[in-house]
Amino acid sequence: QSPLSSDATKRLEELRRKYPRFEFDPLTGVSRIGEDILFPTGSAALNKGTAAMVLAEFARIMGEGDAKDLNILVVGHTDDQRIAKAKTKTKHPTNFHLSTNRANAVVVELIKQGIDGSRLGAAGYGPNQPLVPNTDNDARRKNRRVEIFVLSPDAVVALWEPGTSRQ
């Protein structure tokens, strides 16, 4: 069940209409962003322009009203293709590295946009949670994504208990 207020839900649905590759599920509060919007292939450096605009608008929504009390977990995913280019492999030896580095880049950008870091977490699943079977390039594109989970203030994630873990 979504922890978002009706106002925040409405604003995220507007963001979805504005950016078709930004997906939002109003029932759960989960946002999904195709990595082709956020990152060049094989990179964890955010695309200039669209990525910054989408994340800035998301941060603005999450920084206002009752949404400012919610926590955010950013999860990176990749397709099933191994990292092949030597230059890419030096920065991201595996798809796990790439997926976590992309999640971290989104977290850092959200902090730059004003979200308190104590509200944020990052994880990477590499190729292990595909949306669809990796049967062709279009399917692989769908699996390269970042998901943003909006969590209630008391949500426990990986034994992180917001009420007791913050200092």
Side-chain angles (χ1 to χ4, degrees), residues 1-4 25-30 150-152:
Q1 187 171 344
S2 176
L4 292 163
D25 182 348
L27 298 177
T28 63
V30 175
V150 177
L151 308 169
S152 66

Side-chain angles (χ1 to χ4, degrees), residues 37-40 43-49 51-52 55 102 105-106 108-109:
I37 288 178
L38 297 177
F39 305 99
S43 173
L46 286 167
N47 280 330
K48 306 248 186 262
L55 294 175
R102 286 177 167 175
V106 170
V108 168
E109 183 62 25

